[in-house]
Amino acid sequence: MFFSKRIKPLLFLSFIEVAPIQRKGTRKQTMSHGYKSSSMGYAYMDKKWVFSFVITSLVCVVLIVTSFNMGLMTSFRPPFNETIPHFATNDPKVEEDKLPRLAYLVSGSKGDLASLWRTLRALYHPRNQYIVHLDLESSLDERLELASRISNDSMYSKNGNVYMITKANLVTYTGPTMVANTLHACAILLKRSPDWDWFINLSASDYPLVTQDDLLYTFSTLDRNLNFIDHTSDLGWKNEKRAMPLMVDPGLYMLNKADNLWVRPGRSLPTAFKLHTGSAWMALSRSFVEYIIWGWDNLPRTLLMYYTNFVSSPEGYFHTVICNAPEFSKTVVNHDLHYIAWDRPPRQHPRTLSLGDMEPMIASGAPFARKFSRDDSALNKIDKELLMRTNKGGFTPGGWCGGKQECTVVKDVAKIRPGLGAERLKGLVDRLVAEAKSGQNQCE
């Protein structure tokens, strides 16, 4: 900028001085005073060249100094990959960055509107991102009502962090459509916001056992590359009943749910990758979510095609991808962060939780539990004793809450008030992370 504004005008002035100067007067006057004019011209030319020489010299000096300064500035730049250290300050924005941000998918089906809305309210925190989805089996009225509630809620509208997938997907739990719906939500979250660290998928029948302040506090101490996925490579009976049969999910091409179609003959177990299975509920790091969406080495796409014909693919796709990717296999923590009471072997259907399950739920330290019936009395007890929610339709109180009526105004999204739930959760997470660091129960 210095060169363009100051040096160019100087060069232009030197050009003007060197150019011949047209004087007024007749040809006769010029001839009659020829000697005088000539001597004055030489005197003027001497001064002119001296002035031009001075201007040119100044330009050279300026260019040399500018070049030196640019080189000096360059020498102070850090290498491209070097991390510039951050020093502690009292700036509240710096403090805010120390806390993670979470991204949730809360999904439901026919008749789940009330349950989904209650779970969303209990989970809400203005730091986080939320995507909600009612699948195509739910009625149009249910989906329109959910969209209306979100758009008319002043908190959601002001913060803009709750998004509904309005073009509903048809989802069948035993087919690949649930995987497709999860990947759909992940892609939307990556596009909508760069400010989240973990992706957590929940259903309308899930419910939190700790506050978001408890969860954010606990996760603030963790490596943000960790992935919480319950998994095992010991498929047992699933090899014959799930991996080897070939099925087609009608949800991929029909508007209504239907039974899976079975194709014969079956297939042998793969040799190019090792199968893993586990829980369909997980907390995935942003880096792993980016990997499964972008798939830069093509493994996520290859396995997505394989699991298209796999029974209950949500219980295997993400697990197999992460355990076959060397870049991520050491980031796995073997837990789904849920309390689930199974019915009986082969433990395929979770039992509906009730008041009788409160003690083991709390003792587990898990941040989430499933599954609950709509408006079950156990949910009211969780609201009152664990989440401190006094208003059934309101938000879970936290450090961010302000306003005459609690949690109607966002005061400070970086302020948290962790409670007893944080202690329970931290005890569980510390144990799980220690096991993962030692290599126990990790992609074996």
Side-chain angles (χ1 to χ4, degrees):
M1 294 299 293
F2 178 84
F3 181 80
S4 63
K5 293 183 178 179
R6 298 295 303 276
I7 296 178
K8 285 186 178 179
L10 291 175
L11 291 174
F12 180 72
L13 286 173
S14 67
F15 173 76
I16 295 297
E17 294 294 344
V18 174
I21 300 177
Q22 191 71 27
R23 301 179 183 275
K24 293 183 179 180
T26 63
R27 179 178 178 83
K28 183 177 180 180
Q29 289 173 329
T30 305
M31 292 299 294
S32 62
H33 299 87
Y35 177 77
K36 185 176 181 180
S37 298
S38 177
S39 61
M40 288 178 67
Y42 280 114
Y44 177 77
M45 287 295 289
D46 289 338
K47 294 178 181 179
K48 172 180 62 179
W49 286 111
V50 169
F51 182 78
S52 299
F53 175 78
V54 171
I55 294 301
T56 304
S57 300
L58 287 173
V59 170
C60 292
V61 170
V62 169
L63 290 175
I64 292 171
V65 171
T66 302
S67 300
F68 174 76
N69 287 339
M70 290 299 290
L72 190 63
M73 289 169 63
T74 304
S75 68
F76 280 113
R77 292 174 183 164
F80 182 75
N81 291 324
E82 183 175 328
T83 301
I84 300 175
H86 295 278
F87 299 96
T89 70
N90 293 323
D91 187 349
K93 292 183 179 179
V94 175
E95 294 298 322
E96 177 185 337
D97 289 341
K98 292 181 179 180
L99 291 175
R101 295 174 185 266
L102 308 176
Y104 286 94
L105 165 64
V106 186
S107 55
S109 189
K110 182 179 180 180
D112 285 339
L113 172 60
S115 297
L116 187 151
W117 186 254
R118 180 170 183 167
T119 298
L120 176 63
R121 305 293 278 186
L123 288 170
Y124 186 76
H125 192 291
R127 287 184 65 86
N128 300 334
Q129 296 290 320
Y130 300 85
I131 286 189
V132 294
H133 176 256
L134 282 175
D135 73 12
L136 202 56
E137 191 178 42
S138 62
S139 68
L140 178 60
D141 288 342
E142 282 183 298
R143 298 198 298 275
L144 289 175
E145 174 62 21
L146 178 59
S148 175
R149 290 187 187 185
I150 292 172
S151 62
N152 292 327
D153 187 278
S154 59
M155 183 67 70
Y156 297 162
S157 298
K158 184 175 181 179
N159 293 312
N161 61 341
V162 178
Y163 176 82
M164 177 182 175
I165 299 177
T166 54
K167 189 176 181 180
N169 301 307
L170 188 60
V171 178
T172 54
Y173 182 84
T174 57
T177 44
M178 184 174 174
V179 172
N181 188 61
T182 304
L183 294 176
H184 185 192
C186 288
I188 292 173
L189 286 165
L190 288 175
K191 184 177 181 180
R192 281 180 57 84
S193 174
D195 297 325
W196 55 268
D197 302 287
W198 277 281
F199 166 80
I200 300 173
N201 66 326
L202 300 172
S203 76
S205 60
D206 289 46
Y207 210 68
L209 301 178
V210 299
T211 68
Q212 289 302 290
D213 282 9
D214 294 334
L215 197 57
L216 293 171
Y217 170 78
T218 304
F219 273 49
S220 67
T221 63
L222 299 180
D223 180 348
R224 298 189 183 183
N225 292 309
L226 293 178
N227 293 275
F228 293 83
I229 302 182
D230 171 79
H231 68 282
T232 180
S233 60
D234 182 13
L235 271 66
W237 60 269
K238 292 183 180 180
N239 278 327
E240 182 180 351
K241 298 296 184 181
R242 294 192 173 177
M244 298 176 72
L246 279 172
M247 54 80 70
V248 176
D249 182 1
L252 291 171
Y253 56 88
M254 295 179 65
L255 292 177
N256 299 304
K257 290 183 180 180
D259 292 336
N260 295 328
L261 303 177
W262 299 96
V263 181
R264 296 186 180 277
R267 58 184 172 183
S268 59
L269 296 176
T271 57
F273 46 85
K274 188 175 182 179
L275 296 178
H276 288 74
T277 188
S279 172
W281 314 104
M282 60 202 81
L284 306 178
S285 67
R286 183 185 178 92
S287 57
F288 181 61
V289 170
E290 290 174 345
Y291 173 68
I292 59 177
I293 295 298
W294 296 338
W296 49 79
D297 68 354
N298 210 42
L299 176 65
R301 281 185 286 270
T302 299
L303 291 178
L304 186 60
M305 289 188 286
Y306 174 80
Y307 274 97
T308 300
N309 306 113
F310 195 100
V311 184
S312 297
S313 53
E315 298 177 358
Y317 171 69
F318 297 95
H319 319 66
T320 301
V321 171
I322 200 166
C323 284
N324 283 273
E327 182 179 351
F328 295 100
S329 60
K330 297 301 181 184
T331 67
V332 181
V333 179
N334 200 346
H335 201 279
D336 62 3
L337 300 180
H338 274 69
Y339 173 82
I340 302 176
W342 299 98
D343 51 359
R344 54 183 175 80
R347 296 166 58 89
Q348 290 305 297
H349 301 287
R351 179 172 54 79
T352 301
L353 300 175
S354 63
L355 283 173
D357 297 292
M358 285 297 296
E359 187 175 339
M361 267 194 291
I362 296 173
S364 71
F368 309 103
R370 73 181 316 269
K371 58 182 183 175
F372 293 95
S373 297
R374 186 187 311 168
D375 288 333
D376 189 88
S377 55
L379 297 177
N380 297 330
K381 192 174 182 65
I382 292 171
D383 279 343
K384 181 180 179 181
E385 298 183 5
L386 302 184
L387 305 183
M388 309 305 169
R389 290 180 76 213
T390 56
N391 181 2
K392 180 180 176 180
F395 300 118
T396 299
W400 65 272
C401 292
K404 293 182 179 178
Q405 185 178 351
E406 192 176 31
C407 300
T408 55
V409 175
V410 178
K411 288 198 305 185
D412 183 0
V413 296
K415 183 179 179 181
I416 57 174
R417 296 199 304 258
L420 294 177
E423 295 181 16
R424 297 193 303 269
L425 178 58
K426 194 173 189 308
L428 171 67
V429 168
D430 286 349
R431 175 176 60 81
L432 294 172
V433 171
E435 289 179 358
K437 286 184 178 180
S438 66
Q440 296 180 44
N441 303 320
Q442 194 175 50
C443 289
E444 295 176 344

